[in-house]
Amino acid sequence: MSKKILMLVGDYAEDYETMVPFQALQMIGHQVDAVCPDKAKGDFIMTAIHDFDGAQTYSEKPGHRFVLNADFAAAQEEDYDALLIPGGRAPEYLRLNEKVLELVRAFDQARKPIAAVCHGAQLLAAADVLKGRTCSAYPACAPEVRLSGGYFADIGIDEAYVDDNLVTAPAWPAHPQWLAKFAELLQR
């Protein structure tokens, strides 16, 4: 059964964590509406490619222009079945937008599936939905998960973790597990 998914993105969202779920979820029959505060349908965001090439943290390279297919101003939780939050640098400033945080809270309060990867946990922490819950993220976000009252799932970079309606993963190498577990939540 086809579901309608809201995807929250912003400039310098991680390229793979934006493009791959957007396309893969559509490929299996879901509608994915990609939105960004202060941008409209037809506008684009710039993405960044994060890679693991031997440094102490990931490197960042220019990504693609990702075209938005819906308007953030019209986004309401009741119009969607699930929420998707890519990582990258976008979550660090999207969490400053009160409407973004209200949307995250509304999806969680409605117990709708939420998929967050990498730095997407920054939005979950800022929205105060992690108290007593287990969440994975890029390891540099572990302090935020813990400071928000959550438990950090220290799992392999290619693994995903499910806690009730929440499926999280450390980074894009987890796409096979993360997206499969999200697809399972969508069928509940």
Side-chain angles (χ1 to χ4, degrees):
M1 175 182 263
S2 179
K3 301 290 182 177
K4 191 173 178 186
I5 302 163
L6 180 66
M7 184 166 80
L8 293 172
V9 298
D11 284 317
Y12 301 102
E14 208 290 325
D15 192 90
Y16 297 152
E17 295 167 3
T18 302
M19 301 262 191
V20 172
F22 182 77
Q23 294 172 339
L25 290 164
Q26 289 181 83
M27 180 191 71
I28 60 173
H30 300 300
Q31 177 182 330
V32 183
D33 287 357
V35 300
C36 176
D38 302 320
K39 295 194 181 202
K41 179 179 180 177
D43 290 343
F44 66 86
I45 61 161
M46 292 302 302
T47 65
I49 297 171
H50 293 154
D51 210 349
F52 309 100
D53 42 21
Q56 290 178 320
T57 189
Y58 57 85
S59 63
E60 186 170 272
K61 299 161 183 72
H64 297 91
R65 289 182 179 189
F66 177 79
V67 178
L68 304 171
N69 65 346
D71 293 322
F72 177 80
Q76 298 180 43
E77 167 270 322
E78 56 267 17
D79 295 334
Y80 293 92
D81 300 301
L83 177 65
L84 179 74
I85 306 170
R89 283 193 286 134
E92 81 181 21
Y93 67 85
L94 289 178
R95 65 187 166 170
L96 302 175
N97 183 302
E98 189 54 40
K99 184 175 179 190
V100 168
L101 298 179
E102 288 170 8
L103 279 169
V104 174
R105 286 185 206 110
F107 276 92
D108 191 59
Q109 288 167 357
R111 308 317 290 168
K112 292 182 178 180
I114 299 173
V117 63
C118 195
H119 287 70
Q122 291 177 316
L123 283 183
L124 302 175
D128 200 27
V129 301
L130 292 179
K131 280 190 177 81
R133 301 183 70 190
T134 301
C135 171
S136 181
Y138 189 69
C141 297
E144 290 171 270
V145 170
R146 292 183 184 116
L147 287 168
S148 69
Y151 303 100
F152 179 69
D154 188 8
I155 59 178
I157 199 164
D158 59 349
E159 296 178 316
Y161 191 91
V162 177
D163 185 332
D164 190 30
N165 65 315
L166 184 63
V167 58
T168 55
W172 58 260
H175 276 155
Q177 272 202 30
W178 181 61
L179 290 171
K181 290 177 186 296
F182 185 49
E184 288 173 19
L185 286 181
L186 292 171
Q187 297 311 312
R188 285 190 191 170

